[in-house]
Amino acid sequence: MKHFYLTTAIDYANGQPHMGHAYEKVLADVIARHRRLCGQPVYFLTGLDEHGQKVQQTAEKEGIEPQQLCDRVAGDFQKLCHSLHISHDDYIRTTEKRHKIVVQSVLQKLFEQDEIYLADYQGLYSPRLEQFLQEKDKVDGHWPEEFGEVIEISEKNYFFRLRRYYPWLVHYIKTHPDFIFPHFRAKQVLEFLKDEPNDLCISRPKKRLAWGIPLPFDEDYVTYVWFDALLNYLSAVGYGEEALGHYWPVDIQIIGKDILLPAHTIYWPCMLKALELEMPRTLLAHGWWLVSGSKMSKSTGQVVQPLDYVRLCGADAFRYFVMREMVIGQDCDFSHERFMARYNGDLGNDFGNLVHRLLHMLRRYCGSAIPRGNFSDADDQALRQHWQEILPRISEAYQHFAIHSALELLWEMLRLLNRFTELRSPWSLAKSSRDEDRKKLEATLATLAEGLRLVVNALQPVMPETSRIVLNALGLTSEANLHWDQSLRWSQGLEGRSVGDPSVLFPRVEG
Ligand code: MSP
């Protein structure tokens, strides 16, 4: 059976993990977990991009071997994944043998197919971006700062016949509206493609850059880092082997908007076309995390350390924050105050307090067992009805990567449950000796427990650890194995379950 194959960009091995990297992994993880709950076998790949000039230079500066640097950075990124509870199935590193073999076999194949040729290159080059430039890349007559120093070079290099695929590519993008998401990005790509691209230079002379995969047909050259890196998506799932059929075509490729053009929407589709492989089903381009309006990156020094927040508030709080704040495809400004407001407000007050209060009341009034919900009035009905109404919208939101709106709907439900608690005032009902009030008290707690069970089940992809804790506290240990649709139906399944002790899920953090 074909897996639902999901990838992230592979991170550059020349820096520390930051918020942007963490966000991308959490986003991919939420999609992967949701698909698994929907019963699909998932293959979730992430990894590290280890070759190239920048890695070589950073290692030189530190006086260590590039491989040593990569091993250390791989450790940092894997630690990040672990701390964020990322459920990836594979972590690929481009210095691994399995990857190098595939890169070399692809190069050899394309060379034999006459897709790659040797030519003289004379022109402008940015060592910082490892990219050849044209005069048209200037902005207002100047080289943009991110190019660094621009130099003139003249050398022989190998080129991939990208132009051959130009008309096909334009047509493909125009006729496959789901290929690039959000859709407005496809328009930008087509705009960019109004000018025919040049063939892609896929080699770097070894004398200038040693840290790369050698070309199989010319040992004096190594492979251009993008050509090498993009192939990770194939090398991880057995390119050239029968197994590839279990994964390919890749279903969703998650990347930041900065690497959509030209790498993922021009080089990558043309490479796949030349290899006679199917296109990715969807390239999902997210926006940037900004700090005071600027992109968070190592070069600008504007970096938020995700692990600081994980340490302070827990992985699930971090996951909730980034999923709740960022609207897919748009940029989002990070602020400490906003993080704390979401943590203490949404998580502490709306969610944590409800769980705590309910467990406490169940212990105090019902001997820690969930009672029978044999009473219902307009307020119970309204809650149920509200859930029936929002459920398809929640599923739809997950399906179409609008995680922030799934969370918005779930919090709407939590707030209704809180309001229902106030309205019914179980603590007053508990004081009464009337049978009717006792029934009402029990029904209130049963309804609250069921409402909470549903919210927490739908929250599993975003907050897996918290969901597990709450489900366990409600006496459910195997709920996580249920199918998405089945676990989200309003039912009486909780009756008679014995509940755990109330613990504080999100202790208040000042600051
Ligand atoms: N190595 C390349 C990708 C090769 S994929 C075959 C690369 N690495 S990166 O470390 O610079 O970026 C990794 C991912 O993090 C990219 O998708 C990038 O867009 C994303 N982010 C890096 N900074 C970001 C923000 N400030 N905000 C959100 N994501 C951004 O590019």
Side-chain angles (χ1 to χ4, degrees):
M1 188 182 180
K2 158 112 175 51
H3 284 70
F4 180 86
Y5 180 29
L6 171 86
T7 65
T8 67
I10 50 171
D11 306 307
Y12 279 133
N14 68 327
Q16 284 291 307
H18 61 64
M19 186 80 175
H21 302 124
Y23 166 74
E24 187 170 295
K25 300 216 178 345
V26 172
L27 174 63
D29 190 56
V30 170
I31 297 173
R33 285 178 187 269
H34 171 248
R35 294 292 171 144
R36 288 194 198 106
L37 288 167
C38 290
Q40 272 180 288
V42 170
Y43 199 75
F44 169 13
L45 173 73
T46 186
L48 200 64
D49 186 357
E50 305 193 3
H51 291 125
Q53 192 131 331
K54 279 175 259 178
V55 176
Q56 184 173 302
Q57 283 167 351
T58 308
E60 268 163 22
K61 254 187 243 157
E62 291 193 23
I64 54 175
E65 288 301 314
Q67 190 63 58
Q68 261 176 297
L69 171 70
C70 294
D71 292 347
R72 189 185 74 209
V73 177
D76 294 340
F77 273 93
Q78 281 169 329
K79 188 166 152 225
L80 177 82
C81 290
H82 180 76
S83 312
L84 290 171
H85 303 151
I86 304 301
S87 63
H88 52 292
D89 298 286
D90 195 355
Y91 191 88
I92 188 145
R93 298 180 51 187
T94 55
T95 50
E96 281 177 77
K97 195 168 164 207
R98 60 171 172 159
H99 177 70
K100 290 184 186 169
I101 289 174
V102 167
V103 171
Q104 291 199 324
S105 81
V106 163
L107 284 163
Q108 188 64 39
K109 179 178 160 68
L110 296 181
F111 187 63
E112 283 166 18
Q113 278 175 212
D114 185 38
E115 301 280 358
I116 289 174
Y117 63 94
L118 183 67
D120 270 323
Y121 176 83
Q122 212 157 15
L124 300 159
Y125 181 75
S126 148
R128 185 194 281 178
L129 294 189
E130 292 167 48
Q131 206 172 302
F132 294 99
L133 305 172
Q134 293 175 313
E135 281 296 326
K136 72 173 168 81
D137 295 320
K138 281 187 175 165
V139 177
D140 299 330
H142 299 284
W143 297 113
E145 216 181 292
E146 71 257 29
F147 289 2
E149 190 196 2
V150 175
I151 54 173
E152 283 229 33
I153 56 169
S154 161
E155 64 190 24
K156 274 199 183 314
N157 260 312
Y158 287 90
F159 291 82
F160 167 55
R161 294 191 194 280
L162 196 82
R163 280 166 58 203
R164 210 178 242 183
Y165 299 104
Y166 172 58
W168 164 82
L169 180 63
V170 172
H171 183 256
Y172 189 87
I173 296 174
K174 283 186 179 159
T175 51
H176 292 79
D178 291 335
F179 181 48
I180 301 172
F181 188 91
H183 302 299
F184 72 89
R185 296 265 175 231
K187 288 203 192 103
Q188 288 174 353
V189 173
L190 288 170
E191 188 60 37
F192 185 90
L193 279 170
K194 278 194 174 149
D195 293 329
E196 186 174 6
N198 291 327
D199 283 346
L200 173 67
C201 178
I202 53 116
S203 63
R204 297 292 181 264
K206 240 184 199 167
K207 59 179 177 347
R208 189 148 56 77
L209 173 68
W211 187 236
I213 301 178
L215 297 186
F217 41 82
D218 193 337
E219 283 285 323
D220 291 337
Y221 291 86
V222 296
T223 315
Y224 168 49
V225 70
W226 268 109
F227 201 90
D228 160 353
L230 287 163
L231 289 171
N232 90 86
Y233 305 133
L234 283 173
S235 59
V237 287
Y239 172 77
E241 295 163 30
E242 223 171 274
L244 187 69
H246 298 304
Y247 307 96
W248 209 261
V250 53
D251 292 272
I252 298 180
Q253 302 212 267
I254 300 179
I255 50 176
K257 64 176 187 179
D258 50 324
I259 57 170
L260 193 67
L261 264 173
H264 281 85
T265 44
I266 300 184
Y267 307 163
W268 181 224
C270 294
M271 286 162 70
L272 287 171
K273 184 73 182 158
L275 291 170
E276 295 169 78
L277 286 171
E278 274 184 72
M279 294 303 120
R281 294 217 162 105
T282 298
L283 296 168
L284 173 57
H286 60 76
W288 282 344
W289 279 94
L290 309 172
V291 181
S292 319
S294 312
K295 183 182 181 231
M296 201 178 286
S297 78
K298 204 179 138 217
S299 50
T300 59
Q302 301 270 39
V303 180
V304 170
Q305 296 297 345
L307 287 180
D308 289 348
Y309 285 88
V310 174
R311 268 189 291 270
L312 193 64
C313 300
D316 277 5
F318 180 87
R319 293 169 63 105
Y320 172 76
F321 175 76
V322 291
M323 288 299 104
R324 179 66 186 78
E325 285 286 298
M326 178 84 102
V327 176
I328 198 90
Q330 293 173 21
D331 293 345
C332 187
D333 217 53
F334 180 88
S335 100
H336 175 77
E337 290 68 33
R338 237 177 131 61
F339 190 100
M340 285 306 153
R342 289 262 180 228
Y343 177 77
N344 288 323
D346 297 12
L347 296 179
N349 294 344
D350 299 338
F351 184 23
N353 278 355
L354 176 67
V355 175
H356 192 266
R357 215 175 191 189
L358 176 63
L359 293 176
H360 180 75
M361 290 192 291
L362 285 167
R363 188 166 65 164
R364 185 138 178 228
Y365 307 139
C366 304
S368 291
I370 300 179
R372 189 175 168 73
N374 59 353
F375 170 93
S376 133
D377 66 7
D379 298 321
D380 295 71
Q381 297 296 344
L383 270 180
R384 275 176 208 224
Q385 208 173 336
H386 183 78
W387 180 255
Q388 313 298 359
E389 272 167 28
I390 62 170
L391 180 56
R393 289 163 60 200
I394 293 169
S395 293
E396 174 83 8
Y398 270 115
Q399 195 76 25
H400 292 102
F401 325 120
I403 317 297
H404 73 283
S405 62
L407 292 175
E408 219 169 87
L409 290 163
L410 288 171
W411 254 256
E412 208 177 289
M413 186 69 189
L414 282 176
R415 289 192 190 108
L416 285 181
L417 291 171
N418 279 317
R419 209 172 307 148
F420 177 75
T421 313
E422 294 297 326
L423 195 79
R424 282 288 178 84
S425 175
W427 41 91
S428 312
L429 293 170
K431 285 186 197 139
S432 158
S433 53
R434 289 170 53 204
D435 268 3
E436 187 67 5
D437 286 338
R438 176 72 203 169
K439 261 193 185 169
K440 201 168 173 180
L441 167 69
E442 291 184 352
T444 303
L445 299 187
T447 297
L448 285 173
E450 179 59 9
L452 191 62
R453 180 188 74 83
L454 294 166
V455 170
V456 165
N457 266 326
L459 204 53
Q460 283 189 74
V462 180
M463 303 183 74
E465 190 57 19
T466 309
S467 303
R468 194 186 55 76
I469 293 171
V470 178
L471 290 172
N472 282 350
L474 289 175
L476 300 162
T477 43
S478 59
E479 193 86 343
N481 303 327
L482 284 184
H483 189 278
W484 181 256
D485 292 337
Q486 204 184 345
S487 71
L488 297 179
R489 249 177 254 142
W490 196 292
S491 76
Q492 301 282 344
L494 285 173
E495 188 188 326
R497 304 240 171 213
S498 52
V499 300
D501 280 336
S503 61
V504 179
L505 287 176
F506 307 103
R508 214 176 160 76
V509 174
E510 301 299 340

